[in-house]
Amino acid sequence: CFPVRSTPLEEEFDENAEHEQVTSAASVGRLAKKRTLAILGQQQHLQRDPLDRPRCWEVTFSLWSFENVGIMPLRVFFAVSVGSAEPKRHRNRVKLLTKFTHIMSLDKGQTEVFGNPVIIYNSKLFTLSYRELDKHVVKVDMWRVSSWTFNDYYGVGKRKLSLIANQDPNIDLMLKKKLSRKQLESKKRTAVGDVARFSCKVNLEEVFDFQVSCDNWQLQLNEDHLEYKKLSAERKRLTFHMPKNRNTLPGFRRFLGGAASNTVNWNKDPQKYFWSKCGEFNFRGTRSHLQNAYFIITVHTGSPPNIFIEYDELQKLSPAMKVAGRCLMNLTSVLEISVFRGDLKMFSEVKSRFIVGELSGNVKCTLRSKGQKRFEDDCRMKRPEQARSSTSVTHLQRHERHLVVRVAKCEGLAVADSETGLSDPYLRVSWDNMMLESPVVKMSLRPVFNHNFYFPVRIVFPQLASKEAEKKFEGTVLTYELQSKGNIKIEVWDDDVTSADYLGGTVVTMHEILSVRNTSLMTIQGPVKKKADQDNDVDEYAKEAKKQWYDKEMECRSHDGAETNLFGSTLPANQIAKIHFETYFYPDWPLSLRLAPEDEGNEGGSGWDSIKERWTDSNKDFQKKYAGPFPDSIGAKKPDSDFPMGGEARGGETLRRFPCISMHPQRVGDVPLMAFVAPIIIPEDYSFPARLMHWVNNLSFELSLKQLRSGLIPNDGWKDADYTLSTRKGAVQDHAVLLCSLLLGCKRDAYVCKGTIWVKEVEEKTTGQSLEKETLVEHAWVMTREDGWVTFWEPATRQMYHLPKRYTPTTRRFRRRRRGRRKVDTKPNGTEEVVKEGDENDAEGLAEEEEGRHTQLKSDWDGEVADARLEPEEIEQLPTVGRMPKAKQRAQGKTKAFHRNQQKEERSDARARLDIAPNKAMLQRDTVVNWLPYDSLEVIFNDRNLWANRQNHHPACIFYDLPQIGDDEEKEKEKGWEMFLKGDKDEPEVRAIHPNVSVQPTLRAEVVDDRRDDLRQEMLQNLQLYRGKKGYDAFFDNTEELMEQLRTYLEIQEELLHIDPDSPALNELFASTEATRTKDQAFMLDTFNLRRFNMKGSPFWAEGAEIKYGPYQKDQDRRFAEFEAKVKKFYEKLDTFPTKRGRVFKGFPVHFATSEHEAVRTNLMKVPEYTKFIDIPQEDVYYTIECSMFPILGGVLSVWLYIGIQTPVLDENEMA
């Protein structure tokens, strides 16, 4: 694909030559010699040092702006070259010609910004090793133009290729004034000043051979499709069309011959569309080429003969079947995220048949340098990689249509940094599951971006490849395709390594772009400017340069977004934030193509208002029903949904609320709570419960002042998962929404729960005393259901509470019997018969209930004496105090007491039979839970619906059989849950705020190391300053041996957070006795505070769970074995722990979910052990602070600090 000048080391043996006809002995000898030379050259190449092996590079150089920083007007041109930094010492190995720019004239302090960047080098290739990158530079020479004499060599600027290949491609190069030979040789050398600022973009990337493997793909059919029953009864097979390089993209007939393809076997299980191995492919190009590529999956459907299914050898011979649909997936995030998901689309003019289903699977990518036959195992260094930014025009495909988003500037942005009063804004634009970012503008509230974003418009159907086909299907298939790509989302964020602040955003619909009537002359880089008057010095005989495809002028409709308001930021701002942008398609669609405006959907309106009104009335009726038999319980509180804006008292009468609607986090309007949830697909190793909880828990918790004061979740307090992942912080309800979205992406039956918990608060009195009290506040967590178990996932504490026998799995067909409930069954003859619910086909359910009731009455707790029961005759014989009553009076009193007790028992039995009473089946030995932190449960919701709890308020005393749309009112009432959406035709459609959430990769190792060193130095300085204010010195012991031991200890602490506390390995350790435990096991239990949590077990290790959770069980066994080995190794080194002579070492670890200095410093001062260490009134102590950071998916960091102190042995009592 790439015309690289080959060298002897890069020559490869062509395997196809073996199939050529060998007609003579001479040709056979030449073939053998060529094979031998290729093998010897490859062996010689691999024997070299990895830094000295030649690599292929691609460079693209474009000029963006030029500023005159001197004191004189300039009339100059530039010469750009790539060569050796010191030609006399190092040979120039880059053979690229010098390129020249046009003449530019600028006054003092003037800046010329090019609307369309000037392309100087366009995808030029050369060969250099990693070591030689440091010896070669990009050189920019500035020549001052003279009309009467020779041009003057005026300035020069250089940048090493090694720096360019590892940093941001956007470069501001300061050009220094060029000194003459006399000035260089003179003894009084003057200072060299800057003469110009040269702003350019240099994309320097290595060319790789990527190996792309597709594994574990599955298909989920759309149940709303017109042919769902027919498609679900047929078998499926997949065909992958993967590009070989940037010039062989699949999808169009002219490219199908170049793309690689592989067809997998038919699915053998008719009820499960799953394929484990789908083939391996090779792609040659740079990282940008791969990220700008895509692949297509074709799904075939049919009913082939069984003989083709049983024998894999006959799969390829099976007859051709019809195509069920095609799916196009961009490879934008293939290097960071291996999980892909896309819609399977059918070429149909009927909209209800367009979306067939959803495809999801893994695409793993490994790379090796171009020309390498094998992976370089000895190359352990990090390969050079530039910071990712939006694509330049040289990386685009000329045959594709593009959506162009040009952002000029922003105004009135909010302040994200309180210390400077400024922000570091950057743009994030997303469309069609692609997301691009702009460079960061440092310290500005009015940033000028002048940045273009290019999104290729990719249509999966080859039937729409011509203009005639677009015209024919523009009202049907083409419209459906554009609508499926979604809206354009433009967001402004503040740049931060640890967390990001949202500065505002806006949305542009396809209707707004295609409804523009006027057209203007455009190129893909922007509007065409009017040509200025020609300068007198321009050569009139010069030939006109040939225009590239990206300079071609076309008439396009452009949506002008000047002074568009930005919404959604919660940061303070002095004025309304605005953005200036424009969007258009290049080339444009036919003027007759217009999309109808989308309906409001989530955006409030009378539809949601009427449903909310009905919901509020139902909650009030339920409150009155609850307040009758239980007037003092939490269920008797008023369910008013209005948030008390000025409520000083936390809780109050409006505490038990049943929310259903919340404010949109980024736009004006209300949305249902279901719109905040959207499934997020993540890699399999991150889907394991313990690791998933650890990941979500490491996002910082931050409550708004409104929620902190009132204890209630405000109406604008809910955020979607994309917002939380971007900011890497949020309230507890935001963590719950994120965790539920991740669990839904893992194909779990997950719900967000909103309820209440008791929290302890310390109230400071005026007398100086503190009073501790408990307050009831609103809380959110996550619930999953599987195989009869209900699991509560608490993101704030990383704990999972498993409740057995809390719902009826769909695979079990019997129904529970509810006491006291009757229904009327009408017979064919018209008579009515009252029967109990559950009498039919309910033998198993009745047997279980009778057995549970019998166990409850006759079972005694272990170690407890049986209750003694006194009969009435025995009570009469008890001794009395005072005068004995007369016989007649005693008989009357006995009768009255008996009637009172009988009435009390009847009322108690009547209350126990109510639906809102605690379910006694949940209080049996095999169902009761030892402890739950939650006091009540009001609503649960997922991405489809919301349910209100109409049973007992406590989450441990209810069932979780949820009604679904289509169930009648009696069945809904029977299950004790009320649905928010009933399935009526007039109900609005629920649309996710961010349906496709992209998870950022882990932070780079060098970024993590810098953050770790900065935080450690900050803590050392903070301790030193604190001790200095006290009048003491601070001495530190930072020997490498000691720090290595502490780092090992922190690694053990981090490993412990990935271990499930209910794993069998831990249970075996808990079951062991002191006599059977080894010393390192006893050290493990005492030091790391290991404890068993769920006494009733866990669904992850229940009987038969290995089918579903086999990989998780193996992962937990491996992790515990590694944890145990590390603890044992650490324990063996305790005797030689590097402590100073005559001193005792003490310390403790602290875990943080952020690396921000201020947050860590503030929370560390709240740790009693830390304040005790730093307040020691003596100087003869040594402190040790070590920091470890562990990167997690999404740019999240797990931060550990170890605080240690060494005190003299004699002073140990004083410290205590």
Side-chain angles (χ1 to χ4, degrees):
C1 175
F2 301 97
V4 185
R5 181 175 55 86
S6 62
T7 63
L9 294 179
E10 294 174 339
E11 292 181 359
E12 303 174 9
F13 175 70
D14 187 4
E15 297 179 356
N16 295 327
E18 294 183 356
H19 303 287
E20 296 178 358
Q21 294 181 358
V22 182
T23 57
S24 63
S27 58
V28 174
R30 286 194 300 269
L31 186 62
K33 183 177 180 180
K34 188 175 181 180
R35 178 194 293 271
T36 304
L37 290 176
I39 295 175
L40 292 176
Q42 188 68 21
Q43 292 178 352
Q44 181 183 2
H45 181 75
L46 292 175
Q47 291 175 358
R48 286 189 179 185
D49 187 279
L51 296 177
D52 295 327
R53 295 171 188 168
R55 319 280 177 173
C56 183
W57 302 87
E58 181 186 86
V59 62
T60 299
F61 195 107
S62 57
L63 174 61
W64 290 84
S65 65
F66 162 57
E67 179 183 0
N68 181 7
V69 299
I71 59 176
M72 298 176 58
L74 293 179
R75 188 163 178 268
V76 297
F77 67 90
F78 298 95
V80 182
S81 61
V82 181
S84 175
E86 299 180 13
K88 295 183 179 180
R89 296 182 57 186
H90 304 292
R91 177 186 173 187
N92 182 18
R93 298 184 179 275
V94 180
K95 305 299 182 182
L96 294 181
L97 298 177
T98 303
K99 296 291 185 177
F100 300 92
T101 67
H102 61 278
I103 298 175
M104 290 169 278
S105 300
L106 289 180
D107 293 332
K108 173 185 175 182
Q110 186 179 356
T111 303
E112 181 175 355
V113 180
F114 303 102
N116 299 330
V118 180
I119 307 297
I120 298 177
Y121 285 117
N122 185 5
S123 301
K124 296 298 182 181
L125 296 164
F126 59 88
T127 302
L128 278 181
S129 66
Y130 292 148
R131 197 185 304 276
E132 289 173 335
L133 284 178
D134 198 52
K135 301 177 183 179
H136 288 71
V137 297
V138 170
K139 183 180 179 183
V140 179
D141 299 317
M142 184 170 69
W143 292 83
R144 188 164 56 180
V145 179
S146 176
S147 301
W148 310 104
T149 61
F150 293 105
N151 296 331
D152 183 18
Y153 190 12
Y154 193 68
V156 62
K158 300 178 181 179
R159 183 66 60 91
K160 288 185 178 181
L161 295 182
S162 58
L163 297 178
I164 297 175
N166 288 283
Q167 296 179 354
D168 195 301
N170 300 280
I171 300 174
D172 285 337
L173 191 61
M174 299 303 299
L175 304 186
K176 304 287 185 180
K177 185 176 181 181
K178 180 65 177 177
L179 300 180
S180 63
R181 183 175 298 178
K182 292 182 179 180
Q183 291 174 332
L184 292 174
E185 295 176 353
S186 63
K187 296 181 179 180
K188 297 181 180 180
R189 186 175 300 176
T190 58
V192 181
D194 298 331
V195 294
R197 183 194 302 273
F198 190 86
S199 298
C200 58
K201 184 174 184 178
V202 185
N203 294 99
L204 180 62
E205 297 182 279
E206 184 180 356
V207 180
F208 295 101
D209 286 332
F210 297 95
Q211 182 175 341
V212 183
S213 58
C214 303
D215 304 322
N216 300 328
W217 281 84
Q218 58 182 348
L219 169 65
Q220 184 176 358
L221 295 176
N222 179 19
E223 297 181 359
D224 297 331
H225 195 272
L226 289 180
E227 301 179 6
Y228 171 74
K229 292 184 178 180
K230 179 182 178 181
L231 292 173
S232 59
E234 297 176 338
R235 299 185 185 270
K236 306 290 184 296
R237 70 188 307 181
L238 308 180
T239 299
F240 286 75
H241 304 279
M242 193 73 65
K244 299 178 181 178
N245 48 57
R246 63 180 300 187
N247 295 326
T248 58
L249 296 178
F252 296 97
R253 289 192 175 93
R254 59 176 179 270
F255 290 144
L256 281 177
S261 62
N262 181 57
T263 301
V264 300
N265 296 339
W266 295 97
N267 61 303
K268 293 187 177 181
D269 187 354
Q271 303 298 328
K272 186 178 181 181
Y273 301 118
F274 179 79
W275 299 268
S276 58
K277 299 294 182 181
C278 300
E280 295 184 352
F281 307 89
N282 293 320
F283 182 92
R284 172 168 290 185
T286 65
R287 291 185 177 93
S288 297
H289 295 161
L290 180 66
Q291 292 169 346
N292 293 330
Y294 62 92
F295 66 99
I296 290 178
I297 302 177
T298 303
V299 179
H300 304 272
T301 182
S303 300
N306 292 332
I307 189 173
F308 294 101
I309 306 300
E310 296 176 359
Y311 300 97
D312 296 339
E313 296 81 3
L314 300 178
Q315 287 274 359
K316 295 183 179 180
L317 302 178
S318 61
M321 300 295 175
K322 69 175 183 178
V323 176
R326 289 182 172 87
C327 177
L328 186 148
M329 297 189 184
N330 296 295
L331 294 169
T332 307
S333 58
V334 67
L335 297 176
E336 295 89 12
I337 306 298
S338 61
V339 181
F340 284 74
R341 180 181 63 183
D343 291 332
L344 181 66
K345 303 173 183 178
M346 176 186 293
F347 189 83
S348 173
E349 298 187 58
V350 181
K351 190 173 183 179
S352 57
R353 299 180 59 194
F354 185 69
I355 301 297
V356 179
E358 182 183 81
L359 275 171
S360 61
N362 296 327
V363 179
K364 299 180 181 179
C365 184
T366 55
L367 55 86
R368 62 180 185 270
S369 295
K370 176 190 173 184
Q372 299 295 322
K373 290 292 186 181
R374 295 177 296 175
F375 293 100
E376 301 175 87
D377 298 332
D378 56 343
C379 185
R380 302 185 182 276
M381 59 168 290
K382 186 182 183 303
R383 299 176 185 266
E385 181 180 2
Q386 288 184 318
R388 183 180 174 185
S389 63
S390 56
T391 311
S392 61
V393 293
T394 56
H395 291 90
L396 304 179
Q397 293 291 329
R398 60 180 303 175
H399 303 289
E400 291 184 322
R401 178 182 277 109
H402 292 84
L403 172 67
V404 184
V405 181
R406 290 173 45 87
V407 181
K409 61 180 180 179
C410 294
E411 299 174 347
L413 295 181
V415 176
D417 190 348
S418 58
E419 296 181 358
T420 61
L422 299 171
S423 300
D424 299 330
Y426 70 95
L427 299 170
R428 183 184 298 174
V429 183
S430 57
W431 182 70
D432 192 19
N433 296 336
M434 294 178 285
M435 190 267 291
L436 299 176
E437 296 180 355
S438 73
V440 180
V441 179
K442 295 292 185 180
M443 302 180 65
S444 175
L445 300 181
R446 301 170 58 89
V448 177
F449 292 102
N450 288 330
H451 198 81
N452 292 5
F453 300 89
Y454 304 104
F455 296 94
V457 182
R458 287 160 177 168
I459 309 296
V460 68
F461 303 110
Q463 295 92 327
L464 297 177
S466 63
K467 294 183 178 180
E468 294 77 9
E470 292 178 356
K471 183 68 176 177
K472 179 180 179 181
F473 298 102
E474 68 177 17
T476 54
V477 182
L478 185 57
T479 299
Y480 308 153
E481 179 72 19
L482 291 178
Q483 290 175 346
S484 66
K485 296 180 181 298
N487 300 327
I488 307 170
K489 297 181 180 179
I490 305 175
E491 301 173 343
V492 187
W493 291 83
D494 174 70
D495 179 58
D496 198 337
V497 177
T498 57
S499 62
D501 293 308
Y502 185 68
L503 303 180
T506 186
V507 176
V508 183
T509 64
M510 292 292 101
H511 166 73
E512 292 175 330
I513 301 176
L514 298 177
S515 62
V516 177
R517 297 183 178 273
N518 299 327
T519 62
S520 57
L521 208 57
M522 312 284 287
T523 67
I524 196 172
Q525 302 180 82
V528 178
K529 295 183 178 180
K530 296 181 179 180
K531 297 183 179 180
D533 296 336
Q534 298 291 334
D535 194 274
N536 295 330
D537 294 331
V538 176
D539 188 1
E540 59 183 17
Y541 299 102
K543 294 183 179 180
E544 184 178 358
K546 183 180 179 181
K547 288 187 177 181
Q548 299 290 339
W549 69 270
Y550 45 78
D551 293 326
K552 186 177 180 180
E553 301 173 357
M554 294 185 180
E555 291 288 340
C556 301
R557 292 171 289 183
S558 175
H559 170 70
D560 187 7
E563 296 188 357
T564 301
N565 293 338
L566 296 174
F567 297 101
S569 178
T570 58
L571 299 176
N574 296 327
Q575 54 183 327
I576 299 177
K578 297 181 180 295
I579 187 173
H580 299 256
F581 69 96
E582 64 176 341
T583 59
Y584 60 94
F585 286 98
Y586 180 90
D588 199 0
W589 297 99
L591 296 179
S592 57
L593 177 61
R594 298 179 183 274
L595 269 65
E598 299 180 1
D599 54 2
E600 292 183 348
N602 293 337
E603 308 301 327
S606 58
W608 292 121
D609 292 340
S610 59
I611 298 177
K612 183 180 179 181
E613 184 178 355
R614 182 199 67 193
W615 183 260
T616 303
D617 295 339
S618 177
N619 293 329
K620 292 180 180 179
D621 295 339
F622 178 70
Q623 180 264 337
K624 294 177 182 178
K625 175 183 177 182
Y626 210 112
F630 303 103
D632 298 329
S633 66
I634 187 176
K637 302 292 183 180
K638 293 183 179 180
D640 296 341
S641 59
D642 297 332
F643 181 77
M645 299 300 295
E648 291 292 334
R650 302 181 67 170
E653 292 186 345
T654 60
L655 186 60
R656 198 183 188 203
R657 305 182 306 160
F658 296 81
C660 59
I661 302 292
S662 180
M663 291 181 59
H664 197 290
Q666 299 170 1
R667 281 186 282 174
V668 178
D670 294 337
V671 293
L673 292 181
M674 301 85 76
F676 291 89
V677 182
I680 304 175
I681 298 181
I682 54 177
E684 182 183 7
D685 54 343
Y686 275 91
S687 65
F688 296 151
R691 190 172 189 183
L692 188 61
M693 288 292 289
H694 177 56
W695 175 23
V696 176
N697 181 260
N698 274 283
L699 278 80
S700 303
F701 288 83
E702 186 179 79
L703 292 178
S704 64
L705 188 60
K706 187 190 304 183
Q707 183 173 351
L708 200 60
R709 286 179 177 177
S710 65
L712 304 176
I713 300 177
N715 191 32
D716 58 349
W718 296 88
K719 300 292 186 295
D720 59 280
D722 184 77
Y723 187 94
T724 306
L725 282 175
S726 299
T727 58
R728 305 189 190 101
K729 59 184 177 182
V732 64
Q733 62 267 19
D734 304 332
H735 286 71
V737 170
L738 173 61
L739 180 57
C740 181
S741 300
L742 294 171
L743 289 171
L744 287 174
C746 299
K747 306 300 181 182
R748 296 180 187 269
D749 189 16
Y751 306 84
V752 178
C753 302
K754 180 269 168 187
T756 58
I757 59 171
W758 289 97
V759 297
K760 293 183 179 180
E761 291 185 343
V762 178
E763 183 179 357
E764 299 292 339
K765 297 294 185 180
T766 56
T767 59
Q769 298 179 351
S770 59
L771 178 64
E772 185 175 295
K773 64 176 183 178
E774 288 189 342
T775 308
L776 200 61
V777 300
E778 290 186 339
H779 188 68
W781 65 96
V782 178
M783 179 194 76
T784 57
R785 306 185 307 169
E786 46 197 331
D787 300 332
W789 291 78
V790 167
T791 300
F792 289 150
W793 306 61
E794 179 49 62
T797 59
R798 293 192 302 271
Q799 293 176 345
M800 291 177 284
Y801 307 94
H802 304 300
L803 285 68
K805 299 182 180 180
R806 286 308 193 277
Y807 91 104
T808 306
T810 56
T811 56
R812 302 173 66 182
R813 294 301 179 185
F814 67 86
R815 295 158 51 188
R816 292 192 322 275
R817 185 185 68 170
R818 299 181 62 86
R819 272 189 307 277
R821 190 69 59 86
R822 301 289 187 269
K823 72 175 182 179
V824 178
D825 186 20
T826 304
K827 293 185 177 182
N829 56 9
T831 61
E832 294 181 348
E833 180 183 3
V834 179
V835 297
K836 293 183 178 180
E837 285 191 359
D839 287 347
E840 183 181 358
N841 298 329
D842 202 18
E844 185 179 356
L846 289 174
E848 288 185 2
E849 187 171 353
E850 289 296 331
E851 180 181 358
R853 184 180 300 150
H854 182 74
T855 304
Q856 181 185 8
L857 294 176
K858 293 192 175 182
S859 63
D860 298 326
W861 297 99
D862 295 337
E864 186 176 358
V865 180
D867 295 335
R869 181 174 181 178
L870 298 179
E871 299 297 335
E873 293 79 9
E874 297 175 340
I875 296 177
E876 293 181 358
Q877 298 176 5
L878 293 177
T880 59
V881 178
R883 183 175 61 86
M884 289 289 293
K886 295 180 180 180
K888 187 175 181 180
Q889 293 176 343
R890 185 166 65 247
Q892 292 178 354
K894 180 179 177 181
T895 305
K896 292 181 180 179
F898 174 77
H899 287 299
R900 283 198 302 268
N901 294 335
Q902 186 178 12
Q903 292 176 0
K904 185 182 296 185
E905 291 179 1
E906 290 177 355
R907 288 195 299 267
S908 179
D909 292 341
R911 291 204 309 176
R913 289 194 300 267
L914 294 175
D915 295 337
I916 56 178
N919 197 311
K920 292 183 178 181
M922 300 296 97
L923 304 178
Q924 305 298 321
R925 267 192 174 184
D926 57 344
T927 58
V928 69
V929 294
N930 50 338
W931 182 75
L932 274 182
Y934 316 113
D935 189 73
S936 69
L937 175 61
E938 281 73 63
V939 297
I940 64 174
F941 62 91
N942 57 11
D943 58 333
R944 300 183 302 274
N945 209 338
L946 181 144
W947 294 264
N949 177 21
R950 298 311 188 207
Q951 305 173 73
N952 187 260
H953 66 275
H954 201 279
C957 302
I958 59 177
F959 276 102
Y960 293 88
D961 290 344
L962 302 178
Q964 302 298 328
I965 293 179
D967 294 346
D968 54 17
E969 185 177 353
E970 182 66 22
K971 190 173 184 179
E972 181 180 3
K973 188 177 180 181
E974 172 194 352
K975 294 184 176 181
W977 293 89
E978 181 178 352
M979 293 185 295
F980 179 67
L981 297 179
K982 307 291 186 179
D984 300 335
K985 294 182 179 180
D986 56 345
E987 290 179 347
E989 180 185 359
V990 178
R991 297 178 181 175
I993 297 175
H994 278 90
N996 299 297
V997 180
S998 59
V999 183
Q1000 298 180 11
T1002 57
L1003 294 178
R1004 295 184 179 182
E1006 56 270 20
V1007 176
V1008 176
D1009 294 341
D1010 291 342
R1011 296 295 301 178
R1012 180 196 61 204
D1013 296 340
D1014 291 344
L1015 181 59
R1016 182 174 176 274
Q1017 290 298 326
E1018 178 70 20
M1019 295 300 104
L1020 291 173
Q1021 295 176 8
N1022 179 68
L1023 191 150
Q1024 195 170 12
L1025 290 175
Y1026 183 88
R1027 295 279 294 176
K1029 291 182 179 180
K1030 294 275 187 179
Y1032 301 107
D1033 291 332
F1035 301 100
F1036 298 97
D1037 183 7
N1038 298 325
T1039 58
E1040 182 58 30
E1041 188 178 359
L1042 174 61
M1043 306 304 282
E1044 182 65 27
Q1045 283 281 76
L1046 296 182
R1047 282 194 291 268
T1048 303
Y1049 182 77
L1050 294 180
E1051 289 178 3
I1052 297 174
Q1053 292 283 356
E1054 177 68 16
E1055 188 68 28
L1056 180 60
L1057 297 181
H1058 292 82
I1059 297 178
D1060 195 321
D1062 299 313
S1063 63
L1066 276 177
N1067 292 334
E1068 292 179 4
L1069 184 62
F1070 296 141
S1072 62
T1073 61
E1074 295 183 1
T1076 59
R1077 292 173 189 161
T1078 61
K1079 292 183 179 180
D1080 56 285
Q1081 289 179 340
F1083 171 78
M1084 187 188 307
L1085 288 173
D1086 297 338
T1087 305
F1088 298 100
N1089 193 25
L1090 301 178
R1091 62 192 181 98
R1092 188 177 178 183
F1093 206 80
N1094 290 282
M1095 300 303 176
K1096 297 297 185 297
S1098 169
F1100 310 138
W1101 279 275
E1103 184 179 357
E1106 63 276 0
I1107 300 176
K1108 185 176 182 180
Y1109 295 105
Y1112 179 57
Q1113 296 176 0
K1114 294 179 181 179
D1115 177 77
Q1116 285 296 301
D1117 294 340
R1118 177 186 61 82
R1119 286 187 179 275
F1120 185 80
E1122 294 177 356
F1123 170 75
E1124 196 173 21
K1126 290 181 180 179
V1127 172
K1128 184 177 181 180
K1129 186 177 180 181
F1130 180 81
Y1131 178 76
E1132 292 173 351
K1133 292 184 177 181
L1134 280 181
D1135 295 337
T1136 59
F1137 194 82
T1139 307
K1140 291 183 177 296
R1141 180 176 298 178
R1143 296 183 180 276
V1144 177
F1145 185 92
K1146 293 186 177 181
F1148 60 91
V1150 189
H1151 182 261
F1152 295 94
T1154 180
S1155 61
E1156 294 183 359
H1157 296 176
E1158 184 64 27
V1160 173
R1161 183 169 54 247
T1162 302
N1163 288 280
L1164 190 60
M1165 292 300 295
K1166 299 178 181 179
V1167 180
E1169 292 85 354
Y1170 180 71
T1171 57
K1172 183 179 178 181
F1173 279 5
I1174 63 179
D1175 287 336
I1176 293 180
Q1178 60 185 39
E1179 294 186 353
D1180 193 17
V1181 294
Y1182 286 85
Y1183 293 96
T1184 300
I1185 297 180
E1186 178 58 328
C1187 178
S1188 292
M1189 293 185 182
F1190 303 91
I1192 312 177
L1193 200 65
V1196 182
L1197 290 175
S1198 178
V1199 182
W1200 284 94
L1201 279 179
Y1202 191 92
I1203 313 297
I1205 186 172
Q1206 299 183 45
T1207 59
V1209 177
L1210 298 178
D1211 296 337
E1212 185 177 0
N1213 295 330
E1214 297 181 6
M1215 181 180 175

